[in-house]
Amino acid sequence: MSSSVVFSHLTLCWPDGGAVLDDVCGAFGPGRTGLVGANGCGKSTLLRLIAGQLQPTEGHVSVGEVAYLPQTIAQLPEATVADLLGVRAQLDAWRAIEAGSTDPDHFEALGDGWDIEARVDQALRTVRGTGEDLTAIDADRLVGTLSGGEVMTLAVAGVRLRAAPITLLDEPTNNLDEVLRDAVLDMVRTWPGTLIVASHDAGLLELMDRTAEIYDHHVTVVDSPYSSWLESREAEQAAIAQAVKAARQEVRVAQRQRVATVERTTRSLARGRQKALGEGLGKSARYRQQGSAERSAGRTRGVAADRLAAAKTALTEVAEKVRPDEHISIDLPDPGVSASRMSMTVTWGEGSFIVRGPERIALTGRSGAGKTTLIEAMLGLRAEGSGETAPPTGRLATTRVGYLPQRFDILDEQASALDNVLAAAPTATSAAVRSRLARLLLRGDAVFRPVADLSGGERFRVALARILFAEPPPQLLILDEPTNNLDRTSVDQLVEALRGYRGAILVVSHDAEFRRRLGVTATLELAGGSITVSLG
């Protein structure tokens, strides 16, 4: 069975006419390929095309058996770890046969998977071995009791267990703490067959044999890992920047020469007319001499004009190769949070922590420690925990809270980006909201496209706009892993946007650099049902 992915004149346009891919030809062969590009360029869309979940506008994809792991993993309430691993039917059949069943349906469901228990145990051991917090995971545990990071790690293990000739992973290190991320990286290092990974995780991309970039609706593949590709791209852009500088200088020189040429030929024509009059030439002779001089001057001016036009054309051509470096720039309304205003209290055992004024607080801890549980209980989205040792609890001191969950559940998937924001700001005009979205780099037809059709980064910006531009403005922002799905540029843009926010922020993030740049003033580390506070 083929382990290559071959593109033949692949084109995909959205119903509104916006192009995602344009006449892409090429192939992804055996080995590991990292798929990179700015948020919204079409990485997830390309994976869905390969997986057969989308049909191209033109062209086609030739591909064998594919296993595909999307960014968002659907979870049914009754789903177990065995479902997540994709072996529920086989495992149930094996257990029934082991118990004495001779039902032909069980043998058909098991197929040649007589070693299913051993393979499941191996997959779970990969995850269990990452830390004592995960030793309770078995095939029958409900997925709903796991953290987002545990779910993603097990899902990666399940795709690995399937052993399809071609595997597609979309942002597999999202939601992962350092230990779980290492577990995924260990699986990737020895992944058999063809593996294509869309990611912004530089460490993960460094494990790839080649790097494929989507840019300007095309796909370019280089036989090198991410760091080499990035170094080459930055060197190329530096060379282009120098070429632009030189081309601009040439335009300035050509402009000065054209002005000098016009002035020189004008003076020359004037002197020629005066000389002809002084020499007493007749009218016919003067006209002939003047015509000849003007033709000569015209040719001289034409040469100067041609040089200027050529210089401008060269500048335009080289400037088109410069990649845009866009920045978020928004003016946020003042939420009216004074330095002494209390917005939230977190309590555990004998300790407590009060958030006052426009503080930046980080909530950290291992995957599964209960960070999201604490936040959702505080927001009334789930019941508070109980037991002999009560888990930490939180109390809000304001009703004006903007919550950005990991899965963007606050968005209406079928509504447009514009309508999603208008729902949170009902008195705002469409024009005003479109202007605000444009400053968050959502422009043109993208604001009218259903949220379900947007990239992870674009969906993030819609969710961020919905809470930042809510009426009245929130006094407290709660952000749960906000840098998931974001490339380096988008993380920079998020930091820029939040710098202008004058309320309090509680952020859950495994990204230490992001926390530093955000200006976190205190860190609450959750472990074993207790919290340790560190300032600064």
Side-chain angles (χ1 to χ4, degrees):
M1 185 174 292
S2 174
S3 60
S4 294
V5 179
V6 181
F7 308 111
S8 179
H9 301 288
L10 186 66
T11 296
L12 178 69
C13 298
W14 296 122
D16 60 21
V20 182
L21 300 169
D22 183 18
D23 197 30
V24 172
C25 297
F28 295 156
R32 300 182 296 264
T33 298
L35 186 58
V36 302
N39 287 124
C41 70
K43 298 187 296 296
S44 297
T45 300
L46 181 59
L47 294 187
R48 292 178 65 195
L49 282 165
I50 297 172
Q53 293 188 357
L54 287 176
Q55 295 302 312
T57 307
E58 295 179 14
H60 64 273
V61 182
S62 299
V63 64
E65 181 187 349
V66 174
Y68 169 50
L69 182 63
Q71 288 184 28
T72 303
I73 303 171
Q75 300 179 25
L76 297 175
E78 67 278 9
T80 66
V81 168
D83 292 304
L84 190 59
L85 293 174
V87 297
R88 176 74 174 270
Q90 276 191 313
L91 193 59
D92 287 349
W94 165 248
R95 288 172 173 174
I97 293 170
E98 192 178 37
S101 172
T102 58
D103 188 336
D105 290 342
H106 288 149
F107 285 88
E108 183 178 354
L110 181 61
D112 59 358
W114 293 93
D115 62 343
I116 187 62
E117 275 201 326
R119 290 193 293 125
V120 167
D121 185 64
Q122 176 61 40
L124 293 179
R125 191 159 55 243
T126 300
V127 179
R128 287 172 182 153
T130 62
E132 60 182 17
D133 293 342
L134 301 178
T135 54
I137 292 179
D138 59 39
D140 298 314
R141 182 169 170 179
L142 292 177
V143 174
T145 65
L146 303 175
S147 73
E150 290 167 336
V151 168
M152 178 57 75
T153 306
L154 286 167
V156 173
V159 176
R160 171 74 182 260
L161 186 64
R162 179 173 168 181
I166 300 169
T167 303
L168 314 176
L169 303 180
D170 196 351
E171 300 289 1
T173 55
N174 277 357
N175 305 323
L176 306 189
D177 61 26
E178 183 176 351
V179 175
L180 289 176
R181 178 175 173 273
D182 286 344
V184 170
L185 265 56
D186 284 342
M187 285 187 269
V188 167
R189 285 187 181 94
T190 57
W191 203 287
T194 297
L195 177 65
I196 304 170
V197 182
S199 180
H200 60 274
D201 183 335
L204 173 61
L205 292 169
E206 197 61 21
L207 301 179
M208 302 295 108
D209 302 308
R210 65 189 67 86
T211 301
E213 183 194 21
I214 302 180
Y215 179 72
D216 194 25
H217 316 307
H218 293 85
V219 180
T220 304
V221 183
V222 296
D223 290 324
S224 62
Y226 179 73
S227 61
S228 298
W229 167 82
L230 186 61
E231 182 179 352
S232 175
R233 194 196 72 175
E234 290 178 347
E236 177 187 55
Q237 285 296 296
I240 291 172
Q242 284 297 112
V244 169
K245 183 178 179 181
R248 285 176 176 158
Q249 178 62 24
E250 176 62 23
V251 168
R252 287 192 289 268
V253 170
Q255 286 173 330
R256 288 196 297 269
Q257 289 184 344
R258 182 173 181 272
V259 170
T261 297
V262 170
E263 291 176 348
R264 186 170 61 254
T265 55
T266 299
R267 289 194 300 269
S268 178
L269 287 172
R271 286 196 298 270
R273 286 193 293 270
Q274 291 296 325
K275 182 179 180 181
L277 289 171
E279 292 177 350
L281 294 177
K283 184 179 293 185
S284 296
R286 291 202 309 273
Y287 284 160
R288 285 195 302 273
Q289 187 180 70
Q290 182 177 346
S292 177
E294 287 179 348
R295 286 191 295 273
S296 176
R299 287 192 294 271
T300 302
R301 290 172 175 175
V303 169
D306 289 345
R307 179 181 178 183
L308 177 58
K312 288 182 176 179
T313 299
L315 175 58
T316 299
E317 290 175 351
V318 73
E320 287 176 348
K321 299 178 182 179
V322 176
R323 300 194 176 209
D325 183 18
E326 297 187 288
H327 297 277
I328 286 175
S329 177
I330 53 176
D331 296 321
L332 297 175
D334 190 340
V337 177
S338 65
S340 61
R341 183 180 180 86
M342 183 172 68
S343 57
M344 181 181 68
T345 301
V346 179
T347 304
W348 64 95
E350 301 298 322
S352 65
F353 186 87
I354 298 174
V355 179
R356 297 183 185 275
E359 290 187 302
R360 271 60 174 149
I361 309 299
L363 179 61
T364 64
R366 286 288 316 279
S367 291
K371 302 183 296 295
T372 299
T373 299
L374 170 60
I375 288 172
E376 292 186 347
M378 181 167 56
L379 293 170
L381 301 177
R382 69 165 73 188
E384 292 185 354
S386 59
E388 293 183 6
T389 303
T393 60
R395 294 289 180 270
L396 297 174
T398 177
T399 59
R400 290 164 54 183
V401 179
Y403 174 45
L404 187 68
Q406 290 183 21
R407 295 168 57 90
F408 305 149
D409 295 339
I410 59 175
L411 298 178
D412 181 344
E413 294 287 312
Q414 302 310 311
S416 68
L418 179 62
D419 288 338
N420 266 280
V421 179
L422 283 171
T427 66
T429 65
S430 294
V433 170
R434 288 190 66 185
S435 175
R436 292 170 179 173
L437 286 172
R439 294 186 178 187
L440 284 170
L441 310 182
L442 278 167
R443 305 186 178 103
D445 292 333
V447 303
F448 301 113
R449 195 174 296 152
V451 165
D453 291 341
L454 299 179
S455 72
E458 289 170 328
R459 288 158 57 86
F460 168 78
R461 288 195 286 271
V462 175
L464 183 64
R466 183 181 169 91
I467 63 174
L468 288 181
F469 302 133
E471 299 173 347
Q475 295 178 326
L476 168 67
L477 293 183
I478 300 178
L479 312 176
D480 195 352
E481 295 293 354
T483 58
N484 282 353
N485 308 316
L486 301 186
D487 57 27
R488 294 192 311 166
T489 301
S490 295
V491 172
D492 293 342
Q493 293 163 353
L494 173 60
V495 171
E496 288 182 41
L498 294 179
R499 279 175 180 160
Y501 177 65
R502 293 180 289 278
I505 296 177
L506 174 68
V507 61
V508 176
S509 177
H510 294 300
D511 187 338
E513 176 63 12
F514 171 72
R515 298 196 304 266
R516 183 194 66 78
R517 295 177 62 193
L518 190 60
V520 165
T521 53
T523 299
L524 311 182
E525 183 175 2
L526 177 58
S530 184
I531 287 179
T532 302
V533 180
S534 57
L535 302 179

